[in-house]
Amino acid sequence: MLCGKVQAMRLLNAFGTFYLLLGLQLTAGSRGLEFPSHDGKDRLINLSRKNFNRFLKKYDILVVFFTITRDPQNAYEENQWYLTEQMLELAAQITEREGVGFGVVNLQNDRKLAEKLGIFEAGAIYAYKSGHKVAYDGQRSTDFLVEFILELDEHPVEEINTKIEIQAFKRNELSKVIGYFESSSSAAFDDFVDAALDFQPLISFYAVFQKLLAKQLGLTEVNQIDFYEPYMKKSITMSGNLPHDNSDIEDFVSDHKRATLRKLRPINLYDIWEDDINDIHVVAFADESDPEGFEFLQLLKEIAQLHTDDPNLSIVWIDPDDFALLHDYWERTFGVDLSEPQIGVVNVTDADSVWMARRKSRLPTLAELEKWISEVLSGKINTENDDDDYNLDDDVDDDDTEGESNDRNDVDIDDDFDEEDEEEKEEKASAVVEEKKEIRKLSRRSKLDL
Amino acid sequence: MLCGKVQAMRLLNAFGTFYLLLGLQLTAGSRGLEFPSHDGKDRLINLSRKNFNRFLKKYDILVVFFTITRDPQNAYEENQWYLTEQMLELAAQITEREGVGFGVVNLQNDRKLAEKLGIFEAGAIYAYKSGHKVAYDGQRSTDFLVEFILELDEHPVEEINTKIEIQAFKRNELSKVIGYFESSSSAAFDDFVDAALDFQPLISFYAVFQKLLAKQLGLTEVNQIDFYEPYMKKSITMSGNLPHDNSDIEDFVSDHKRATLRKLRPINLYDIWEDDINDIHVVAFADESDPEGFEFLQLLKEIAQLHTDDPNLSIVWIDPDDFALLHDYWERTFGVDLSEPQIGVVNVTDADSVWMARRKSRLPTLAELEKWISEVLSGKINTENDDDDYNLDDDVDDDDTEGESNDRNDVDIDDDFDEEDEEEKEEKASAVVEEKKEIRKLSRRSKLDL
């Protein structure tokens, strides 16, 4: 297709901006994929009680990072702040044209503002939009933070107007809510939108206005609202008199928010991980793009469908492809091979875990998986068989492998885990007497993702 | 579910490693999501002609970064190298236990090694595995590089052994190759595996050994090999006598490699962007998780199915959710609103573009899209109506909006684009006389993704 001169040029142009050798600096090449870096302009606002409302009004979305006064002598803290600041500044730069502002609140200096906002965690990020606040509990890196903000910037309710859009709705594997309304100007729809703003963007809200489409979606009455848990074929219809009001919708969604099978995503990983049940997570690793991983995932979906009414079961599904950075950490900490599907129980207080034994070269059957799950729920399989629930002498890498645990090769937990153990004991002892409203410092590591 | 003491502890434990105020430093909280940072150990090997083969033998996968001598006075270059080194060191640390080694080749100091390896681009990254080399043409950040390496580390051919695994195969929307073989010890299968190693991990290879499953996949003869272009229902069967040998398979796959509809992914973005047709890309933005974006994507798939035999058409589909960092850059450079589906023509030499006019609140019909595509292919719609193909006086933001281009609001291309234009002219003038084997410097920006 290309010949002679043109081809030579294309070949040279093919490699992005580049420099020829011999000191001659030339710029050329394929344009269209220039990743941004911070332009140097400071966009972070120092928010205080005095100016908070003004900036809240000024921006469509105000993203707020909550911090405490740093010790300038502490190099680690200073570096963490530098990374966090860079993340926030770049995100502010990228979203500036969308009407998004970024600010910082010092929880110690502005105690009253903290109390007004109800935020007491240093390191937390909240986005304020249309009188609603939404926590950003995703990975601390610019791309995911920006993805979150851009999704938050969209209208909170998607309208379904065609049959193909019904397909799009059905394919969405997040928790989702759908309502059938008279029109987009009905009061019932306004309440629905208002409720949606509390859950956007982690739970999707849809509306349908056409009777025929509504019927295909199983919505028979005007103002009916249904909730779909991920991977469930059947929806849950909201009970009570129609139309539903805003706060009832919020309660309804909150009640069903925690799914029986939840996918960990970079945008919600802390949100899910911190929502454990009795300090444990049932964790399943399955690479959906791998045939065996896909097959295992179908089993997990069956299990979830069988147990959807059990509030004590919520399986966290992790596709290892989504978390390449954690691959080695998880393999070492959990002692599992992530190139194969795995299911286990993880104690989130110490990352101690026990994994279902894998028979060579085959997946468990549904019955085997069912048995294992029931033994987890009954407590027969657990990570703490040899110690009390809150035994402070618990060692991080206690290798209590009772039940069906598998071989753990290569579990060389870092030494500093043991050091931290000492501190952990103190913390646990003091934790029970701490006030809930104490300012706490989250340390979701701002990852330097180069 | 939780009460009293336990709940208080869980609440405090719920926020990752944290520090209480008042100088008392405590560590606790949810464990299991600790993102790694570089441990400080140098893992990058200085590769030379003398030691290259030794390290090639030592590691399952040897990842090589190609560089040239830096000017220590050039702060920009030094910083770029620092970021690149950090990316490589962290990737090396994460993949160390998988038997992956990382090295650097200085193309100037080791000209002979460069010639032997056939690499002349500074900034390039190649992975060597089992006597094959694969370029890493993805985003310059640790997570995607590690994802690429981990996928490269798997067996290059996935076996399909069950009906559910056929579903997994069908769901895979990448280019894929499937072969039906006697067994995994047949010579024909060995050739298939060898060919797969040249395309792993960007093209998926599958094998089936059971007659019944093969039949369901449309494979009727032993040793038959089929290629599936993304989004195509029908496969292309490799012609020629059976069994096929390694190099014939490689030619077959290479011939069909460029799909009519290609999804830009962080792991392959440069690979696709640099594979333009006559300096242009037809680019479509569609957010698959959005009902309208999903519907537009179905249209694109129909177009692709209709045009699959046209080598002059290859649509690059970009889901904006995958590239949050580029959102603002693309909106500014292309003058489009990425919250709605868009299709346009982008000239990759200067990022000049022209976009299909959008009728308010509805997607184009298939017929409208067909007409637009045919006008692009005929050249009636193009970005360069007012200048020659290689007119060196071309301005970056020439706003030649003939044809069906839409309004371009807010196309404020940065000033430095114009500065670079001067250099670009020189480059273009010299490009045609440059030797192809000259060492070139890629400058895929190592993004500091905080």
Side-chain angles (χ1 to χ4, degrees):
Chain A
M1 263 166 293
L2 297 161
C3 55
K5 213 161 138 176
V6 180
Q7 182 156 33
M9 193 170 290
R10 201 187 78 82
L11 279 164
L12 271 163
N13 280 344
F15 297 100
T17 311
F18 67 86
Y19 308 92
L20 285 184
L21 272 186
L22 310 166
L24 180 64
Q25 199 169 300
L26 296 172
T27 314
S30 301
R31 289 197 186 275
L33 295 181
E34 276 91 339
F35 282 88
S37 51
H38 182 215
D39 59 14
K41 187 175 156 189
D42 293 336
R43 290 178 179 80
L44 288 184
I45 306 155
N46 281 317
L47 292 168
S48 65
R49 202 155 62 105
K50 278 187 184 164
N51 66 16
F52 193 88
N53 280 335
R54 182 156 53 88
F55 286 111
L56 200 60
K57 226 175 270 176
K58 179 176 174 186
Y59 294 105
D60 295 340
I61 297 174
L62 181 63
V63 180
V64 183
F65 182 81
F66 293 88
T67 185
I68 47 175
T69 308
R70 295 180 312 282
D71 170 11
Q73 305 294 317
N74 186 326
Y76 173 79
E77 273 197 10
E78 283 298 303
N79 188 47
Q80 285 299 98
W81 170 244
Y82 169 77
L83 298 178
T84 303
E85 201 179 20
Q86 288 295 308
M87 170 182 82
L88 297 170
E89 286 286 5
L90 184 55
Q93 175 183 322
I94 293 172
T95 56
E96 187 173 35
R97 285 172 63 256
E98 307 287 335
V100 181
F102 277 70
V104 176
V105 168
N106 185 313
L107 289 167
Q108 287 164 297
N109 300 353
D110 262 303
R111 192 103 203 178
K112 281 193 178 161
L113 179 59
E115 266 159 32
K116 207 185 107 200
L117 298 172
I119 313 277
F120 305 92
E121 310 140 10
I125 299 174
Y126 280 84
Y128 294 83
K129 177 192 170 184
S130 315
H132 296 250
K133 78 165 185 238
V134 189
Y136 175 68
D137 286 324
Q139 196 171 321
R140 264 40 184 170
S141 77
T142 311
D143 37 8
F144 299 115
L145 177 58
V146 172
E147 186 188 336
F148 179 87
I149 294 166
L150 293 175
E151 289 187 20
L152 193 61
D153 191 41
E154 291 172 15
H155 192 274
V157 178
E158 299 278 2
E159 295 181 12
I160 294 180
N161 296 311
T162 66
K163 281 189 183 181
I164 296 177
E165 290 184 353
I166 290 182
Q167 279 178 47
F169 169 80
K170 287 192 173 162
R171 278 174 52 108
N172 179 351
E173 293 193 324
L174 303 176
S175 295
K176 57 197 176 193
V177 185
I178 185 157
Y180 169 29
F181 303 98
E182 196 74 50
S183 77
S184 61
S185 53
S186 78
F189 180 68
D190 286 346
D191 273 62
F192 189 67
V193 171
D194 201 54
L197 284 164
D198 272 346
F199 300 100
Q200 189 190 13
L202 295 178
I203 297 180
S204 310
F205 278 65
Y206 296 86
V208 62
F209 304 107
Q210 299 169 45
K211 195 174 177 179
L212 215 74
L213 294 176
K215 211 180 145 193
Q216 284 181 33
L217 288 157
L219 300 162
T220 49
E221 280 184 276
V222 171
N223 296 327
Q224 182 181 337
I225 294 173
D226 277 22
F227 179 89
Y228 283 84
E229 208 184 274
Y231 319 113
M232 295 300 143
K233 286 164 193 165
K234 283 186 189 162
S235 63
I236 303 159
T237 300
M238 188 172 166
S239 59
N241 293 333
L242 301 183
H244 301 296
D245 80 2
N246 167 15
S247 70
D248 286 344
I249 303 172
E250 279 165 31
D251 290 345
F252 169 68
V253 175
S254 296
D255 284 351
H256 294 94
K257 195 172 169 272
R258 185 198 280 153
T260 311
L261 180 59
R262 295 184 281 181
K263 185 176 187 184
L264 198 74
R265 297 185 298 150
I267 216 171
N268 71 359
L269 81 169
Y270 297 110
D271 189 37
I272 285 186
W273 203 255
E274 289 161 2
D275 179 37
D276 55 76
I277 300 176
N278 299 323
D279 285 338
I280 66 153
H281 277 304
V282 176
V283 174
F285 287 101
D287 174 357
E288 196 177 10
S289 67
D290 170 82
E292 201 184 30
F294 176 83
E295 189 164 359
F296 189 58
L297 185 60
Q298 306 318 305
L299 274 180
L300 294 174
K301 289 179 186 174
E302 278 187 70
I303 293 281
Q305 283 157 11
L306 290 168
H307 289 267
T308 184
D309 296 326
D310 186 345
N312 290 310
L313 181 65
S314 178
I315 302 169
V316 177
W317 164 37
I318 302 177
D319 188 327
D321 279 0
D322 296 335
F323 298 96
L325 291 176
L326 291 171
H327 181 92
D328 176 60
Y329 164 76
W330 278 331
E331 287 205 335
R332 280 189 296 106
T333 307
F334 298 150
V336 289
D337 174 5
L338 294 188
S339 68
E340 295 182 333
Q342 304 285 355
I343 188 164
V345 184
V346 176
N347 184 320
V348 296
T349 63
D350 55 12
D352 193 12
S353 64
V354 45
W355 298 84
M356 186 176 185
R358 232 186 102 87
R359 283 164 212 248
K360 221 30 193 166
S361 85
R362 76 159 179 87
L363 291 172
T365 62
L366 185 65
E368 286 166 349
L369 204 52
E370 269 284 27
K371 179 165 177 276
W372 185 87
I373 296 267
S374 74
E375 286 179 359
V376 168
L377 292 178
S378 74
K380 192 176 164 197
I381 295 173
N382 66 71
T383 63
E384 313 288 321
N385 265 351
D386 56 4
D387 44 62
D388 297 333
D389 248 342
Y390 291 95
N391 187 336
L392 299 185
D393 295 325
D394 226 14
D395 196 84
V396 167
D397 48 13
D398 64 337
D399 216 336
D400 37 13
T401 47
E402 204 155 310
E404 297 201 32
S405 77
N406 65 344
D407 294 344
R408 295 180 163 221
N409 45 350
D410 245 325
V411 192
D412 49 346
I413 304 278
D414 295 342
D415 284 341
D416 59 308
F417 265 52
D418 293 322
E419 281 167 49
E420 285 173 7
D421 240 13
E422 283 302 308
E423 296 165 352
E424 200 173 11
K425 283 179 218 168
E426 291 178 43
E427 182 279 327
K428 280 185 174 168
S430 60
V432 287
V433 293
E434 275 316 324
E435 274 300 305
K436 199 181 140 191
K437 289 285 169 81
E438 192 64 59
I439 291 171
R440 295 168 304 214
K441 193 166 171 188
L442 294 172
S443 84
R444 291 163 188 178
R445 273 278 267 298
S446 303
K447 131 182 105 82
L448 182 59
D449 178 14
L450 296 164
Chain B
M1 263 165 295
L2 296 160
C3 55
K5 212 163 140 174
V6 179
Q7 182 157 31
M9 193 170 291
R10 200 187 78 81
L11 279 166
L12 271 162
N13 281 344
F15 297 101
T17 311
F18 66 87
Y19 308 92
L20 284 184
L21 272 185
L22 310 166
L24 179 63
Q25 197 169 304
L26 295 172
T27 314
S30 301
R31 289 199 186 275
L33 295 181
E34 276 90 341
F35 283 88
S37 51
H38 183 214
D39 60 12
K41 187 175 156 190
D42 293 334
R43 290 175 178 83
L44 288 184
I45 306 155
N46 281 318
L47 293 168
S48 64
R49 201 155 63 105
K50 278 186 182 165
N51 68 14
F52 193 88
N53 281 335
R54 182 155 55 86
F55 286 110
L56 200 59
K57 226 176 271 176
K58 181 177 174 185
Y59 295 106
D60 295 339
I61 297 174
L62 181 63
V63 180
V64 184
F65 182 81
F66 292 88
T67 185
I68 48 175
T69 308
R70 294 181 313 283
D71 170 11
Q73 304 295 317
N74 186 326
Y76 175 79
E77 274 198 10
E78 282 300 301
N79 189 47
Q80 286 298 98
W81 170 244
Y82 169 76
L83 298 178
T84 304
E85 200 179 21
Q86 287 296 307
M87 169 182 83
L88 297 169
E89 285 288 6
L90 183 56
Q93 174 183 324
I94 293 172
T95 56
E96 188 173 34
R97 285 172 63 256
E98 308 288 335
V100 181
F102 277 71
V104 176
V105 168
N106 185 313
L107 288 168
Q108 285 164 297
N109 301 354
D110 262 302
R111 190 102 203 180
K112 281 192 179 163
L113 178 59
E115 265 159 31
K116 207 185 106 200
L117 299 172
I119 312 276
F120 304 93
E121 307 140 13
I125 299 175
Y126 280 84
Y128 294 83
K129 177 192 171 184
S130 315
H132 296 250
K133 79 166 183 238
V134 189
Y136 175 68
D137 287 324
Q139 195 171 322
R140 265 41 185 170
S141 78
T142 311
D143 39 6
F144 299 115
L145 177 59
V146 172
E147 186 188 337
F148 179 88
I149 294 166
L150 292 175
E151 288 187 18
L152 194 61
D153 191 43
E154 291 173 14
H155 193 275
V157 178
E158 298 277 1
E159 296 180 12
I160 293 179
N161 296 311
T162 66
K163 281 189 185 181
I164 296 177
E165 290 183 354
I166 290 183
Q167 280 178 46
F169 169 79
K170 287 191 175 165
R171 276 174 53 107
N172 180 350
E173 293 194 323
L174 303 177
S175 296
K176 56 197 176 192
V177 186
I178 185 157
Y180 169 29
F181 303 99
E182 197 74 51
S183 77
S184 62
S185 53
S186 77
F189 180 68
D190 286 347
D191 273 61
F192 189 68
V193 171
D194 202 53
L197 285 164
D198 273 346
F199 300 100
Q200 192 189 11
L202 294 178
I203 297 180
S204 311
F205 279 64
Y206 295 86
V208 62
F209 304 108
Q210 298 169 48
K211 196 175 175 177
L212 216 72
L213 294 177
K215 211 180 145 194
Q216 285 182 33
L217 287 157
L219 300 162
T220 49
E221 279 185 276
V222 171
N223 297 329
Q224 182 182 336
I225 293 172
D226 277 21
F227 179 89
Y228 283 83
E229 207 183 276
Y231 318 111
M232 296 300 143
K233 286 164 192 164
K234 283 187 189 163
S235 63
I236 302 159
T237 300
M238 187 173 166
S239 59
N241 294 332
L242 303 182
H244 301 295
D245 80 3
N246 167 16
S247 69
D248 285 345
I249 303 171
E250 279 164 31
D251 290 346
F252 169 68
V253 175
S254 296
D255 284 351
H256 294 93
K257 194 173 170 271
R258 184 199 281 153
T260 311
L261 180 59
R262 297 185 279 181
K263 186 177 185 182
L264 198 75
R265 298 186 296 149
I267 215 171
N268 72 359
L269 81 168
Y270 298 110
D271 190 35
I272 285 186
W273 202 254
E274 289 160 1
D275 180 35
D276 54 75
I277 300 176
N278 299 323
D279 286 337
I280 66 152
H281 277 304
V282 176
V283 174
F285 288 100
D287 175 356
E288 197 178 8
S289 68
D290 170 82
E292 200 184 32
F294 175 82
E295 190 165 359
F296 189 59
L297 186 60
Q298 307 316 307
L299 273 180
L300 295 174
K301 288 179 186 174
E302 277 187 70
I303 292 282
Q305 284 158 11
L306 290 168
H307 289 267
T308 183
D309 295 325
D310 186 345
N312 289 311
L313 181 66
S314 178
I315 301 168
V316 177
W317 164 37
I318 303 177
D319 188 327
D321 278 1
D322 296 336
F323 297 96
L325 291 176
L326 290 171
H327 180 91
D328 175 59
Y329 164 76
W330 277 331
E331 287 204 336
R332 279 189 297 108
T333 307
F334 299 151
V336 289
D337 174 4
L338 295 186
S339 69
E340 295 182 334
Q342 303 285 355
I343 189 163
V345 184
V346 176
N347 184 321
V348 295
T349 63
D350 55 12
D352 192 12
S353 64
V354 45
W355 298 84
M356 187 176 184
R358 231 185 103 85
R359 284 166 210 249
K360 225 19 194 172
S361 85
R362 76 159 179 88
L363 291 172
T365 62
L366 186 64
E368 286 166 349
L369 204 52
E370 269 285 24
K371 180 166 177 275
W372 186 86
I373 296 267
S374 73
E375 287 180 357
V376 168
L377 292 177
S378 73
K380 191 176 164 197
I381 295 173
N382 68 71
T383 63
E384 311 290 320
N385 266 351
D386 56 3
D387 44 61
D388 297 333
D389 249 343
Y390 291 94
N391 186 337
L392 299 186
D393 294 326
D394 227 13
D395 196 84
V396 166
D397 48 12
D398 64 337
D399 217 337
D400 36 14
T401 47
E402 203 154 312
E404 298 200 31
S405 74
N406 65 344
D407 294 343
R408 293 176 162 226
N409 47 349
D410 244 324
V411 191
D412 50 345
I413 304 279
D414 295 341
D415 284 341
D416 58 309
F417 264 53
D418 293 323
E419 280 167 51
E420 285 175 5
D421 238 15
E422 283 303 308
E423 295 164 353
E424 199 174 11
K425 282 181 217 167
E426 290 179 42
E427 182 279 325
K428 280 187 173 167
S430 61
V432 286
V433 295
E434 276 317 324
E435 273 300 305
K436 198 180 140 193
K437 289 286 169 76
E438 192 63 60
I439 292 171
R440 293 169 305 212
K441 192 165 173 190
L442 294 173
S443 83
R444 290 165 189 177
R445 274 279 269 297
S446 302
K447 134 183 103 83
L448 181 60
D449 179 16
L450 296 164

